[in-house]
Amino acid sequence: ILNNDEIDSLLSMEASINHLETAYGDLARGRAINRPRTDLYHTDPELDTVYVFKTMEGGSLETGIVALRLCSDVIRWEERKGAIVKEKLPIAPGNKWVGLVLLFSTKTAEPLAMFPDGIVQVTRVAATSAVAARYLAREDSSTLGLIGSGWQARAHVRAMCAVRPIDKVNIYSLTKANREAFAEEMQSEVNVPIIPVENPEAALQGADIAVAATNAISQ
């Protein structure tokens, strides 16, 4: 049983990218299996929120491990500066979200591990994007155009810097204070100039790689 801090100390972005590249190769060769996610929605007319129960599974014959991820969420759709966003609310005890990953052995059928999905999820999404960039982006790609300034945006900067020689990041998000704080924080972490810009077009101008890392569900 692991917590997010333990996972964060053990799981590097580089290792995540390499393991996911292997997993996608296994899937292409018929050596891995998965079930696409399902979402159960329950709406209470008296509330302005929606309950969502989400599950997904996947396994690899090479590793002998099957993983189940489940999320118990309360969400709300909000309009922010003309964009519709899906907000996942941290309303479990301790102001937390509820997401768990369970691992099982395909050899002995026994449970192997259980841990929260927070760090693993944000790392997995960014690492998957990095696998795509490794194969699809030019090897000399150096400018990253980024829309969004949350967890996923931070992970994507780390991931793209791991697979391409990124030497500049243009960052746009709806809130000026958020993108400026993001630029200050991440620039010191990855030692790459990160430039807040005033609109999404400016973020993407001259970009070799473009990343949308937001919770917006409309353009």
Side-chain angles (χ1 to χ4, degrees), residues 17 37 51 60-61 69 93 97 119 141 144 163 190 213 216:
I17 293 168
R37 80 182 227 185
Y51 175 75
S60 166
L61 295 175
R69 179 185 174 214
W97 296 275
I119 296 297
S141 296
L144 173 64
V163 296
V190 298

Side-chain angles (χ1 to χ4, degrees), residues 2-11 115-116 118-120 151:
L2 302 172
N3 60 38
N4 271 323
D5 290 338
E6 290 167 332
I7 293 169
D8 195 27
S9 69
L10 294 169
L11 184 64
F115 46 86
I119 296 297
V120 168
W151 263 32

Side-chain angles (χ1 to χ4, degrees), residues 140-204:
D140 62 350
S141 296
S142 59
T143 300
L144 173 64
L146 179 63
I147 299 176
S149 58
W151 263 32
Q152 286 289 356
R154 286 168 168 77
H156 273 80
V157 170
R158 300 181 190 109
M160 294 305 169
C161 288
V163 296
R164 287 295 181 264
I166 301 298
D167 60 19
K168 184 175 74 168
V169 178
N170 297 323
I171 164 70
Y172 170 77
S173 67
L174 288 174
T175 304
K176 181 179 180 181
N178 289 350
R179 61 180 179 258
E180 290 179 347
F182 175 96
E184 182 177 357
E185 174 190 340
M186 293 305 299
Q187 182 166 292
S188 63
E189 178 179 330
V190 298
N191 197 30
V192 168
I194 298 182
I195 303 168
V197 296
E198 296 298 320
N199 55 67
E201 291 78 14
L204 302 180

Side-chain angles (χ1 to χ4, degrees), residues 45-123:
E46 297 181 0
L47 301 175
D48 63 348
T49 57
V50 177
Y51 175 75
V52 185
F53 189 80
K54 174 176 67 181
T55 60
M56 62 194 77
E57 300 102 36
S60 166
L61 295 175
E62 303 301 326
T63 63
I65 294 174
V66 164
L68 163 68
R69 179 185 174 214
L70 61 89
C71 299
S72 178
D73 296 323
V74 174
I75 66 172
R76 178 188 293 129
W77 285 281
E78 298 179 352
E79 182 176 350
R80 297 180 186 172
K81 299 183 179 180
I84 302 298
V85 299
K86 184 175 76 172
E87 187 71 14
K88 187 186 297 186
L89 305 176
I91 60 174
N95 297 320
K96 295 181 179 181
W97 296 275
V98 179
L100 294 173
V101 177
L102 292 83
L103 303 184
F104 298 86
S105 169
T106 64
K107 309 298 184 184
T108 66
E110 65 184 315
L112 301 174
M114 180 172 66
F115 46 86
D117 70 344
I119 296 297
V120 168
Q121 162 65 359
V122 72
T123 305

Side-chain angles (χ1 to χ4, degrees), residues 115-136:
F115 46 86
D117 70 344
I119 296 297
V120 168
Q121 162 65 359
V122 72
T123 305
R124 177 192 64 81
V125 174
T128 298
S129 297
V131 172
R134 177 178 280 175
Y135 284 91
L136 298 175

